[in-house]
Amino acid sequence: MTSFHSLRYYLSEHPSIVSFRWSHAQSWGSTWSFLFTAIAFYISAAVLLHVLLLILFRHRRPLPLGPLPAAHSLCMALISATIFAGTILSAAAEIRDTRWLWRRSRTTTFQWLLCFPLGTRPSGRVFFWSYIYYLSRFLHALRSFITIIRYRKLSFFKLFNHSILIFMSFLWLEFSQSFQVLAILLTTLVYSVVYGYRFWTAIGLPSACFPFVVNCQIVLLSCNLLCHFGVLLLHYIKGGCNGIGAWVFNSVLNGAILLLFLNFYVKMHLRKGKAGDRDGAAAAGDDNGFVTEKLDVKDKDT
């Protein structure tokens, strides 16, 4: 019990978490100029690295990176699990401390998770973990460079999606967007499993006999889509949800990527039935913002 209390303190009751406030003057990476500069630098660096590798290496054989892919997967799995635990404990604490304010409007816990009241400010526990999630998107984007170095393949769609992920998580904080708590919980839960699986296969342990990663992403995108319908319903019933403009952009993105995944999922199974054990493509993506990349059916690209 003492360990649990210590964990809860450091993940939801620490003064730096409770007093967090998203501010352009105090939060690193919180300005629009930083956001666009960082995205431009990420895309430029990826393209430049790809061109340099094509010049230096004529062959297309994979370049060994040693333990780097496994280390990145393990790091992302641990960070995702930490954000998940911190967000769920912080959300519980926020609900405990502010439930008395909801009695007049008859707001339930689930309604609060889907629809922030109008006027919500980006401060407090859950927004601290939203900020950590935003910063983790930069670490997640490093996977593009690992793929470029190993296979000399550059996917502009992947670069675009990574950029959208960073952009969307910034908007969550900037406009106190509704639904972000559930989105972070769902995404980090799936990411901790997916990256844990990638670490498992990267160190040479056996992979699943089915496309594990793409199935996880289909489940995640489907849950996000259902929750988006809930936000839309509450927006009209409750008289408005905070940050609805950013939510609309998020909904369009998730809907488009879900259609892409479903289309690719069907084609993958059709190809698998015709080609037997040949390599196919599997999609790997991320939340509220996601990334698609080509993988082996056995998820060897870890």
Side-chain angles (χ1 to χ4, degrees):
M1 184 63 69
T2 304
S3 299
F4 175 76
H5 284 304
S6 298
L7 183 67
R8 185 174 64 180
Y9 172 78
Y10 285 109
L11 293 181
S12 65
E13 302 296 343
H14 193 277
S16 61
I17 296 177
V18 176
S19 62
F20 173 79
R21 179 173 175 268
W22 171 256
S23 167
H24 291 178
Q26 300 175 4
S27 305
W28 183 83
S30 61
T31 62
W32 287 95
S33 59
F34 173 88
L35 175 68
F36 289 116
T37 301
I39 291 175
F41 177 80
Y42 161 66
I43 295 174
S44 301
V47 173
L48 179 61
L49 177 63
H50 177 64
V51 172
L52 288 176
L53 288 175
L54 288 179
I55 295 174
L56 295 175
F57 298 95
R58 299 286 179 164
H59 61 80
R60 290 279 183 168
R61 293 191 300 272
L63 294 176
L65 291 178
L68 182 59
H72 179 263
S73 295
L74 178 61
C75 185
M76 284 302 303
L78 293 176
I79 290 174
S80 297
T82 302
I83 295 175
F84 174 82
T87 302
I88 199 168
L89 289 173
S90 295
E94 290 290 340
I95 291 168
R96 178 199 64 209
D97 294 344
T98 59
R99 183 175 289 171
W100 63 275
L101 293 172
W102 304 347
R103 293 175 181 174
R104 295 180 181 178
S105 58
R106 297 180 180 179
T107 301
T108 65
T109 299
F110 186 68
Q111 288 175 343
W112 178 79
L113 290 172
L114 284 174
C115 179
F116 284 155
L118 294 175
T120 298
R121 301 298 181 186
S123 61
R125 299 178 180 90
V126 295
F127 288 100
F128 170 84
W129 288 108
S130 181
Y131 176 59
I132 300 300
Y133 178 83
Y134 163 64
L135 297 180
S136 73
R137 297 307 86 204
F138 293 98
L139 179 60
H140 179 263
L142 293 179
R143 186 171 177 82
S144 297
F145 297 97
I146 294 175
T147 303
I148 292 171
I149 295 173
R150 290 182 73 180
Y151 302 110
R152 269 86 69 216
K153 292 181 180 179
L154 179 65
S155 170
F156 288 99
F157 181 73
K158 181 194 302 184
L159 296 181
F160 175 76
N161 265 305
H162 273 302
S163 302
I164 288 296
L165 282 177
I166 297 171
F167 186 70
M168 275 307 309
S169 55
F170 179 90
L171 292 184
W172 290 357
L173 289 158
E174 186 69 14
F175 297 102
S176 304
Q177 184 197 308
S178 296
F179 172 61
Q180 64 177 279
V181 176
L182 273 182
I184 292 172
L185 287 174
L186 290 171
T187 303
T188 52
L189 177 61
V190 170
Y191 273 24
S192 60
V193 174
V194 166
Y195 276 100
Y197 172 77
R198 284 175 170 169
F199 172 73
W200 173 276
T201 56
I203 61 177
L205 295 173
S207 58
C209 59
F210 61 94
F212 180 83
V213 174
V214 68
N215 286 336
C216 287
Q217 298 305 330
I218 287 291
V219 171
L220 175 60
L221 286 168
S222 300
C223 290
N224 276 332
L225 188 62
L226 288 175
C227 290
H228 276 293
F229 282 115
V231 175
L232 183 62
L233 182 63
L234 287 174
H235 177 67
Y236 289 105
I237 292 178
K238 304 293 290 185
C241 296
N242 204 67
I244 199 65
W247 171 85
V248 170
F249 183 82
N250 195 5
S251 299
V252 172
L253 177 66
N254 281 343
I257 295 180
L258 178 59
L259 291 176
L260 176 66
F261 264 95
L262 290 174
N263 179 60
F264 200 91
Y265 192 75
V266 171
K267 289 182 177 179
M268 183 184 64
H269 278 279
L270 292 176
R271 186 184 302 116
K272 183 179 178 181
K274 294 179 180 179
D277 293 333
R278 286 186 312 173
D279 286 344
D286 26 48
D287 165 316
N288 251 325
F290 303 86
V291 58
T292 0
E293 60 188 62
K294 289 189 176 180
L295 300 172
D296 187 274
V297 167
K298 298 179 179 179
D299 295 309
K300 290 180 180 178
D301 183 10
T302 54

